[in-house]
Amino acid sequence: MKENIKSVVVLTAICLVVAVLLAYTNSVTAPIIEANKAAAASGSLLEVMPEAAGFENITETLANLPATVKEVHKETSGLGHVMILGTTTQFSSDEMGITVAIGADGKISNVLLTGYYESKDFGADYPSTYIGQDSALGGVDTVAGTTFSSTAFKDAITDAFNVLIENNLVAAGQKSEEQLIAEVMPLALPSSADSLGNCQVTAVEGVAAPITQAFKANNGTGYIYVITGTNGTVVAGVNAFGVVKVLDLEGNDVTAAEADAAAAAQSAAPVLATENLENNTAAAQATVAEGAVLTPVEGLNVTGTAIAAFVADVAGETQYVVITAPLGYSNETMKMITVFDAEGNVIFYKTLTELILHGEYYATHELTDESAYRQMFIGVNAGTYSDDMTLVAGATMTANAVASSFNSAFEALDLIKEVVA
Amino acid sequence: MKKLGILLKGIIKENPVLVLLLGTCPALATTTGVISALAMGIAATAVLFCSNIVISALRKAIPDKVRIPCYIVVIAGFVSVVQMLMQAYFPDLYDMLGVYLALIVVNCIILGRAEMFARKNGIIDSALDGIGMGIGFTLALVAMGSIREVIGAGTWAGIELTALKPYAISIVTAAPGGFLVFGCLIALVNKLTSGKASKKEFACEGCPNAASCNKAECETDAKEETK
């Protein structure tokens, strides 16, 4: 018994002494360990802001952060902010890592690319072109050949600025008129914009006042004009059916207020649906039953990629034909034709240009050729159609174009019925 | 002279890794490079030195029944201290050693020396034994680390050996290479000592659990094996 008590006492005493020793060591080393951890965490931050005294992570205090903004660190002496960004391009699912330092003056003082997984590089110098830029990002552009990666990079930096501006941490930079016009153009003629929201247009020479610039959509869905309006510069979009929409540089619809600008745009723009009527009619005629009578529909206020529309009288039965021209892989125009019955169900669908699909798709869906892919859409209508139906792994751009085509066709169908009624 | 013998016996004659075959786990795991091997050796030496002193000082106070738990508490205490100090002042080494630093607590060498030596000898002798065994452990690890890093990576302590780099055999830094080098070093030490390393350490006296098992039976088995 005595020996047992002694055992307990000795073991307890040793435990207590060891506990005291550990407590003392911990009290000495804990602050140093914490400082080491903080230094390691701020290592990447110091790389972009070496003169920083310290950092405070304010990520949690900021509301509505976009997915691209991972962390926001405030420099403790007021030099600015360092933000850790992560974004994905539409090609790779791996995140592109960016660490950007934005000074208290609202300008980028340094930027570092910490992760890049695309096969095509946009150049080691590209990130450094952002140094000195304010939120307007007036002096930078995307890189041809790596449009997706450089656009993703630019968008992530824009997100970073927006977070700081919305939280009143820096003042917004002043955008140039040229930048504002470039931002409004896709709103004026959405059908000309690619999947990244950039207008795919070609400048038209020989414009006359009040028009200062003119562009034709590469996919033939209309024209865009920059016009000196009554209240300043406006951007007018004229669709393939000759319908005009005028926007001011803030993106507001001012078609009624800027009637002169609208008229100038309308008179300058050829009505593409009429101009290409012969070709479009021939294409449409080939898709409906022999002997069908086609009547072109005019003045459709479409925002999608529809470039021609017809009402077909097939032995007394009404059908509707819509030709669309979405942008596909490498922004190539993909003309597509859809025929609807009187109830709005798809009864025929084909691409007038080659449909580029991936072999993997056929394996997954037990399809043997593209006709089987097209066949899937027969019978669908606006209520049963879903963009998921068009998905093709490995051929995203083409599948997106098909989806855009169907959405535009359904939009046009509704407008045709209104016009016909 | 006797004290010098205590200090030196751990280096070759009773080298804990290459003769007593204790501490094999950290010896294989942390010898992919010289730096990590040296760091592990120094950390283990510090714990061995301190725990031997404390256990020797308390040898008369600690009841026989609870001596193993007492040793473990003392050793774990010192390991935690070393761990905290290393994390604070040598964070890179701390990260390099990883979990093996904490596993010094269950390193057979430390518990073995506490049981075999410290509990039977005075403080000075135990301290010398701790240092000697620690140096032996460190030298064995550094030797293994050097061979594995030079042959396996073409570097030594991170310094690139330009002539060897193109001929690096990476499997040597992997687990199979560790066993291979370990075996070769044991063979070398056997050769150097002509197989005269202290045999008694392999029998009951060399076993940390000798006191709690059936010693007589154990010794009989050991003698039969020796024959």
Side-chain angles (χ1 to χ4, degrees):
Chain A
M1 186 65 186
K2 195 180 169 187
E3 198 186 344
N4 284 347
I5 292 170
K6 189 190 172 192
S7 298
V8 171
V9 170
V10 169
L11 188 53
T12 307
I14 288 175
C15 287
L16 284 174
V17 172
V18 169
V20 170
L21 176 70
L22 288 178
Y24 174 73
T25 312
N26 185 55
S27 70
V28 173
T29 57
I32 303 167
I33 291 168
E34 280 306 309
N36 287 346
K37 282 181 181 171
S42 64
S44 66
L45 309 180
L46 279 170
E47 242 182 291
V48 289
M49 199 179 265
E51 66 279 22
F55 291 99
E56 181 193 348
N57 189 339
I58 59 167
T59 316
E60 297 295 324
T61 64
L62 304 173
N64 300 324
L65 284 183
T68 47
V69 178
K70 307 294 181 193
E71 289 176 32
V72 183
H73 298 265
K74 183 184 176 187
E75 202 280 328
T76 49
S77 68
L79 285 176
H81 296 82
V82 174
M83 304 170 85
I84 295 174
L85 315 175
T87 184
T88 53
T89 65
Q90 292 183 34
F91 277 112
S92 168
S93 57
D94 288 319
E95 276 207 344
M96 183 195 298
I98 304 161
T99 305
V100 60
I102 298 174
D105 59 355
K107 290 182 176 172
I108 294 174
S109 60
N110 205 351
V111 62
L112 201 67
L113 191 65
T114 54
Y116 190 83
Y117 303 96
E118 306 301 329
S119 53
K120 272 189 172 179
D121 191 356
F122 51 38
D125 295 337
Y126 180 67
S128 62
T129 61
Y130 284 74
I131 294 172
Q133 294 293 320
D134 60 17
S135 68
L137 295 177
V140 293
D141 211 342
T142 52
V143 181
T146 53
T147 318
F148 282 84
S149 306
S150 51
T151 301
F153 186 96
K154 192 177 177 186
D155 288 349
I157 298 284
T158 304
D159 285 347
F161 269 118
N162 288 343
V163 166
L164 296 185
I165 291 165
E166 281 168 19
N167 289 281
N168 298 317
L169 297 171
V170 295
Q174 201 66 40
K175 289 186 178 177
S176 66
E177 188 173 271
E178 198 183 337
Q179 281 181 281
L180 293 171
I181 289 170
E183 285 180 11
V184 173
M185 277 171 63
L187 304 175
L189 190 67
S191 57
S192 66
D194 61 19
S195 57
L196 297 172
N198 300 318
C199 272
Q200 297 299 319
V201 291
T202 307
V204 178
E205 301 294 327
V207 291
I211 296 170
T212 55
Q213 294 177 68
F215 305 92
K216 184 182 179 186
N218 291 348
N219 55 354
T221 56
Y223 287 85
I224 299 172
Y225 296 98
V226 180
I227 303 169
T228 307
T230 318
N231 300 310
T233 303
V234 293
V235 178
V238 184
N239 73 10
F241 297 91
V243 178
V244 182
K245 180 161 77 173
V246 183
L247 303 177
D248 65 14
L249 294 187
E250 288 173 1
N252 301 312
D253 193 332
V254 291
T255 311
E258 294 281 359
D260 291 345
Q266 201 153 27
S267 64
V271 179
L272 292 167
T274 309
E275 196 175 74
N276 301 318
L277 186 61
E278 200 178 325
N279 286 341
N280 290 336
T281 306
Q285 197 76 58
T287 61
V288 290
E290 205 175 325
V293 180
L294 292 175
T295 309
V297 185
E298 293 170 356
L300 289 183
N301 188 16
V302 293
T303 55
T305 58
I307 56 169
F310 300 90
V311 176
D313 183 348
V314 184
E317 189 192 329
T318 303
Q319 292 179 359
Y320 305 100
V321 183
V322 180
I323 301 176
T324 55
L327 292 165
Y329 184 70
S330 284
N331 287 331
E332 290 289 330
T333 303
M334 295 182 62
K335 274 194 180 178
M336 303 184 186
I337 191 160
T338 313
V339 183
F340 298 95
D341 63 14
E343 280 74 44
N345 299 311
V346 175
I347 56 173
F348 183 83
Y349 167 74
K350 79 177 272 193
T351 54
L352 301 177
T353 43
E354 192 188 354
L355 191 62
I356 307 158
L357 295 176
H358 197 277
E360 190 182 320
Y361 180 84
Y362 300 117
T364 311
H365 291 79
E366 294 178 355
L367 300 177
T368 51
D369 58 29
E370 287 170 15
S371 64
Y373 176 73
R374 293 199 296 267
Q375 199 63 31
M376 284 199 317
F377 301 106
I378 303 303
V380 299
N381 55 43
T384 56
Y385 169 77
S386 139
D387 283 349
D388 293 344
M389 293 170 69
T390 65
L391 284 178
V392 181
T396 314
M397 302 297 146
T398 306
N400 286 346
V402 174
S404 164
S405 169
F406 272 111
N407 288 317
S408 300
F410 285 122
E411 181 205 22
L413 179 66
D414 286 345
L415 293 167
I416 294 168
K417 285 180 175 175
E418 278 177 27
V419 169
V420 171
Chain B
M1 200 60 201
K2 190 194 164 203
K3 296 209 181 317
L4 188 65
I6 294 171
L7 183 71
L8 296 179
K9 72 178 178 185
I11 296 171
I12 293 280
K13 198 179 159 196
E14 287 182 25
N15 187 291
V17 179
L18 303 175
V19 176
L20 304 183
L21 301 183
L22 299 172
T24 307
C25 173
L28 290 169
T30 63
T31 55
T32 51
V34 174
I35 301 290
S36 55
L38 185 64
M40 171 53 82
I42 292 171
T45 303
V47 174
L48 196 52
F49 174 71
C50 296
S51 62
N52 262 16
I53 289 176
V54 171
I55 288 164
S56 173
L58 296 175
R59 67 187 189 277
K60 285 172 186 161
I62 296 173
D64 212 37
K65 267 186 178 177
V66 290
R67 70 177 196 288
I68 297 292
C70 289
Y71 297 166
I72 292 286
V73 170
V74 170
I75 293 166
F78 283 120
V79 168
S80 300
V81 168
V82 167
Q83 210 175 350
M84 284 190 268
L85 291 173
M86 205 173 249
Q87 193 178 5
Y89 299 106
F90 305 100
D92 290 342
L93 279 180
Y94 175 81
D95 290 339
M96 198 185 284
L97 292 177
V99 71
Y100 295 102
L101 193 56
L103 285 177
I104 293 176
V105 174
V106 287
N107 189 318
C108 302
I109 300 170
I110 294 163
L111 196 57
R113 293 324 291 176
E115 181 70 1
M116 274 191 282
F117 198 93
R119 81 179 180 106
K120 299 171 192 166
N121 294 280
I123 295 174
I124 305 284
D125 287 355
S126 297
L128 289 173
D129 180 73
I131 292 176
M133 287 291 164
I135 292 172
F137 180 63
T138 307
L139 288 178
L141 260 59
V142 169
M144 273 183 78
S146 297
I147 294 168
R148 291 180 72 186
E149 192 181 341
V150 169
I151 299 175
T155 59
W156 188 83
I159 303 161
E160 198 169 303
L161 305 171
T162 321
L164 295 175
K165 184 86 179 167
Y167 308 105
I169 306 163
S170 55
I171 197 171
V172 178
T173 53
F179 280 104
L180 188 70
V181 174
F182 188 44
C184 291
L185 281 177
I186 291 170
L188 181 69
V189 170
N190 257 340
K191 176 75 181 167
L192 289 176
T193 59
S194 307
K196 288 176 186 167
S198 183
K199 291 292 181 193
K200 68 173 184 177
E201 299 290 4
F202 293 109
C204 270
E205 275 191 63
C207 175
N209 296 323
S212 55
C213 77
N214 193 339
K215 202 173 176 179
E217 210 174 276
C218 208
E219 277 176 344
T220 314
D221 290 347
K223 277 173 190 168
E224 280 175 4
E225 274 177 30
T226 315
K227 283 175 189 173

